[in-house]
DNA sequence: TCAAAAGTGTTTAGGCTACACCCATGC
DNA sequence: GCATGGGTGTAGCCTAAACACTTTTGA
């Protein structure tokens, strides 16, 4: 069978991307959802998604979709899983590649609300979602937990400078479990990937907490993979 | 925009699956490759793959492809990653979902050789592969290493009964590093997921090594996820 | 009797966990 | 001066790593 026969007789499918966008407001881990504006299921909450074009990779499609929603270009983004049940979208056969993104919620909160009917939902208050998006979100949360334990991606969810209590809150939110303050501090600082600033954050306490910044150079001097974070 | 307009104006893409099939012969970890029999790159070594049909999920497509090659139905199989670079297949735009499978090499070795131009290659002697299949294999190996440390999937690569030295060989092959025999034995046995048989394997030593079998019931009494194996 | 692989315990070091009090500051 | 959250040290436990000799048996 030659190439024309083989390739041309095959089924062609709609391919989509859906983005699970996580943000952290200092207390809660949240996901960004939009109101779906096409049928079927118009008006239900949904992950942000879109179809993959002929001339772009799924990574590029996911970046395009995220950029369209948030204006962000260089967010941390990672492919999650391909969802392909035949009847996952009742309107048509659509294979969807799910991506998850981590963004710093503060910087983009307002812009998002202005431009789209989008809202941040705490992970324990997610509404019913269209199709298999609930499953996608569940899987994304799982992956985030795994990932954050071994790679310094948690910092993507925080502003450039952050306090140790904020960082601990983030890890507690991701793991859904309280952590010991002294053990947490010791372990993070012992990795030697943070730089302490002179400046203090004074909004959430009278004493104030020192700001730290993540030092990518220091980190890259560790093993690229496999460093245990928490 | 209504559903007809939205869905019908989208690009439709060829979607394929490619299977990274791992086997273990008691000493080496191997991958099953086939000679590609269509253009482009006819005659080059390749992962086993095929196009996804309109009426099947990618999981089903991967099972179909694996079954076609090996006759196996119920192998351990897991989705690996979606590869979607626009020019990954020079003949046409094809999005490929890669799967990796673990099979017991001994039971199926002859059948495979008879029916297809397929061969087992040790992982350190993989030939040039078509398209991005080298990258797929690299990623599969990485995933196997991660996975086998936390879940008892290594047993899928062994016959139903196996000796501790065989099991250790397997882990050494996957991790590409020697392990201490005493520490290995103690750790595996302490998990209490193996049953020792009376019978000994006598081919590879004069003394003989006791056979063990993996006990799925005992295992499922442990946490479903998150047990550290090695 | 020798060669070749199987089987078996102990010691040590490092990391993880649990735990409670003082500090700095704004009101 | 008091309420609030920030910051700090130690001791016990457990797990992981290092390490060498004896056993079995076929040739």
């Amino acid at each position: 069978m030659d190439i024309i026969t083989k390739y041309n007789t095959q089924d062609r499918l709609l391919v989509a991307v859906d983005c699970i966008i996580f943000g952290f407001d200092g207390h809660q881990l949240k996901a960004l959802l939009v109101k779906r504006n096409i049928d079927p299921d118009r008006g239900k909450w949904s992950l942000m998604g879109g179809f993959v074009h002929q001339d772009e990779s799924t990574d590029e499609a996911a970046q395009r979709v995220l950029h369209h929603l948030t204006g962000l270009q260089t967010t941390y983004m990672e492919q999650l899983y391909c969802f392909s049940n035949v009847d996952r979208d009742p309107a048509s056969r659509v294979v969807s590649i799910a991506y998850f993104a981590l963004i710093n919620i503060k910087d983009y909160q307002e812009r998002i609300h202005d431009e789209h009917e989008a809202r941040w939902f705490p992970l324990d208050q997610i509404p019913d979602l269209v199709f298999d998006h609930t499953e996608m979100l569940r899987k994304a949360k799982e992956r985030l937990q795994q990932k954050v334990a071994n790679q310094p991606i948690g910092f993507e969810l925080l502003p450039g400078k952050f306090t140790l209590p904020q960082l601990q809150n983030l890890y507690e939110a991701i793991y859904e479990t309280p952590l010991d303050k002294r053990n947490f501090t010791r372990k993070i600082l012992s990795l030697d990937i943070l730089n302490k600033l002179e400046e203090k954050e004074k909004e959430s306490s009278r004493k104030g907490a020192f700001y730290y910044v993540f030092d990518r150079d220091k980190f890259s001097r560790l093993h690229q993979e496999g460093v245990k974070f928490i």
Side-chain angles (χ1 to χ4, degrees), chain A:
Chain A
M1 186 182 292
D2 70 10
I3 179 174
I4 294 169
T5 317
K6 178 67 180 178
Y7 279 58
N8 281 9
T9 57
Q10 299 299 322
D11 295 336
R12 289 170 180 270
L13 310 180
L14 290 171
V15 179
V17 291
D18 286 299
C19 298
I20 298 96
I21 303 169
F22 288 116
F24 180 65
D25 67 2
H27 303 281
Q28 286 183 303
L29 199 57
K30 297 183 171 178
L32 187 61
L33 301 175
V34 294
K35 264 210 176 129
R36 184 171 162 90
N37 64 3
I38 60 169
D39 282 318
D41 281 334
R42 185 196 297 266
K44 264 183 102 171
W45 291 99
S46 161
L47 297 171
M48 184 75 186
F51 289 102
V52 177
H53 301 163
Q54 178 74 26
D55 61 352
E56 66 182 358
S57 67
T58 56
D59 287 10
E60 287 160 355
Q63 288 287 355
R64 173 172 56 76
V65 163
L66 180 73
H67 178 249
H68 180 238
L69 179 63
T70 66
L72 285 169
Q73 296 272 18
T74 56
T75 302
Y76 180 87
M77 200 164 201
E78 164 178 328
Q79 191 191 113
L80 179 63
Y81 200 74
C82 165
F83 294 81
S84 69
N85 279 350
V86 172
D87 55 359
R88 52 174 295 283
D89 181 335
S92 181
R93 172 71 199 282
V94 182
V95 172
S96 175
I97 321 296
Y99 281 77
F100 83 92
L102 306 181
I103 80 177
N104 173 356
I105 206 171
K106 287 255 174 64
D107 297 355
Y108 301 96
Q109 199 153 18
E110 298 76 14
R111 181 183 340 192
I112 287 163
H113 282 230
D114 289 351
E115 295 182 9
H116 296 86
E117 200 162 1
R119 255 187 65 197
W120 288 103
F121 287 85
L123 288 195
D124 55 2
Q125 295 167 41
I126 301 289
D128 266 3
L129 301 179
V130 301
F131 310 164
D132 49 4
H133 287 195
T134 302
E135 167 69 3
M136 290 180 178
L137 191 54
R138 190 194 59 69
K139 208 167 179 103
K141 203 166 127 191
E142 239 177 67
R143 176 78 68 88
L144 178 60
Q145 288 178 346
Q146 283 172 26
K147 204 76 185 176
V148 87
N150 296 304
Q151 293 189 340
I153 62 171
F155 302 104
E156 307 286 346
L157 288 160
L158 292 170
K161 58 185 184 184
F162 49 85
T163 67
L164 291 183
Q166 284 169 358
L167 186 60
Q168 182 174 344
N169 282 344
L170 172 60
Y171 274 83
E172 289 179 335
I174 293 174
Y175 289 128
E176 298 176 314
T177 184
L179 299 172
D180 181 88
K181 187 169 44 163
R182 285 166 290 190
N183 294 338
F184 181 82
T185 306
R186 179 163 6 132
K187 198 153 165 189
I188 285 289
L189 293 183
S190 75
L191 292 173
D192 189 30
I193 52 171
L194 299 186
N195 293 326
K196 188 178 188 171
L197 305 184
E198 297 295 314
E199 193 186 355
K200 276 188 168 185
E201 187 274 336
K202 308 274 290 181
E203 303 214 346
S204 55
S205 74
R206 306 214 153 92
K207 182 174 179 179
F210 284 105
Y211 278 119
Y212 287 78
V213 292
F214 175 57
D215 186 329
R216 283 174 203 279
D217 288 343
K218 279 185 181 170
F219 171 72
S220 60
R221 263 173 254 143
L222 296 180
H223 305 284
Q224 195 61 21
E225 309 283 336
V227 183
K228 285 281 165 206
F229 275 77
I230 298 298

